[in-house]
Amino acid sequence: MAVKLYNYLTRKKELFRPLKKGRVGLYACGPTVYNFTHIGNLRAYIFDDVLRRTLEFEGYVVRHVSNLTDVDDKTIRDSKKAGKSLKTFTEFYSQAFFADIKKLDIRPAWKYPRATGHIKEMVSLIRTLLKKRLAYRTADGVYFDISKFRGYGKLSGVKKRQLKAVSADQYEKTEASDFALWKFKKRGEPSWPSPFGRGRPGWHIECSAMSMKYLGTTFDIHAGGVDLLFPHHENEIAQSEGATGKQFVRYFVEGEHLMVEGKKMSKSLGNIYTLKDLEKRGHEPMDFRYFVLGAHYRKPLNFTWKALAAARQGRLGLENSLDRIRRGPSAGRRSGRLKDENEALKVIAACEKQFREAIEDDLNTPQALAILNELLHYANILIERELLTKRTAAIIRAAALEFDRVLGLNLKRHRGLKVPPRVMKLVEKREDLRKAKKWREADRIRNQIRKLGYVVEDTPTGPHLHPTSS
Ligand code: AMP
Ligand code: ZN
């Protein structure tokens, strides 16, 4: 167990040491459920998932908590616009979120606490802050007084300045100011009773209250996107440490953003894509996961359709290779000599070691993916040289599936298609024609194959077949 993580608290890569041996408390900021999650959000959730899978791969038992923000300015505004109750409106988008992450094989968190289900905990935290004079009341709410909290800015490095209090959750990014813990009731807005007056919570308080409720006053890892470093995570530290007097979180890890065609996603540019948009263009959700894994989580990533198509090719190539490995040794080929098998075992062991080193090094998924590809490439070479024995094939397959416990590409699910011999013959014929550069005839055969219910896609490891309906 030697995972290194880049900790934003120290701005260094550090060896991860849990508070309790063998256990990890992990809190990841989840969605504000007022719309469908976009592919930028999904990059963040894939990052959380890889972090969790890596810790589990290393043998830790992970308590993963992720919140659903189901009351804030945006959910209230848009539920009103839709003429729906806040609950009905946010529940719809919560379910859409769950459906999306399932498609990406993101392991479900241990708990998904909703803000509206934790008002009591938030009120209690605010009461403590008021008692400790770290918070004050104004005409429109209760605010956190950042001048009273010594450690303010320790995560993001922002300088505190005594600016006037702001009542919205919108901040200037360079300067810190007091922020709302509780907003007093406005007409037509949902509200809850509290000792300091009816109202609703500010955004930041929910993550302090819910993370500490489920993971304790000090816990191991807090994850989110870099945009949350300030003010959200900074404010969470102030609220939590202000109230408890203890360290809130030991490691803050933050994922970089996803851009689309070099630009920030925005409504006005019309470049906010959802998983459905990708599926409409013939992609499978796993193509996107493969694409995301191809970049380190602390590097900005640029989404383009071309890059997604390349990711698809890479992913289908992996599936092809696994199919070939399954078929290879049983195709009546001569089994390899023992000498070759020993060499193969050495190569596999080296790949396993390198894979572990890659993911332990601050979740280096591009490197881990490259090692998986290398291993399967090696298997393909053995097949071509008719040296792949059944035993080696089984070990390579097992290693690949073991790697996939971290990558989460669901390679296990792919068991290969039972393609009728007639179709297989056509595929082979088409390959011969392609090799002879007879493109037109090859295309004609592709159409014939399509009529028989299969789509052929060419990948670096050969043609990949799937039924027309999938
Ligand atoms: P929100 O629903 O806006 O609260 O965001 C949910 C999560 O998605 C947070 O962890 C954000 O940091 C993350 N996020 C938002 N936009 C992007 C983006 N373009 N790329 C990566 N992560 C993002
Ligand atoms: Zn949060």
Side-chain angles (χ1 to χ4, degrees), residues 102-118:
K102 192 165 177 213
K103 283 183 183 174
L104 288 164
D105 230 15
I106 288 172
R107 289 187 180 157
W110 170 58
K111 292 238 181 271
Y112 286 106
R114 287 165 168 81
T116 54
H118 295 78

Side-chain angles (χ1 to χ4, degrees), residues 113-129 182 193 196 201 205-214 243:
R114 287 165 168 81
T116 54
H118 295 78
I119 303 288
K120 203 176 75 206
E121 287 82 352
M122 292 186 235
V123 167
S124 149
L125 199 54
I126 298 168
R127 278 181 80 173
T128 307
L129 293 172
W182 190 257
F196 22 86
I205 195 73
E206 72 177 81
C207 284
S208 284
M210 301 197 288
S211 62
M212 292 199 291
K213 169 169 178 171
Y214 295 106

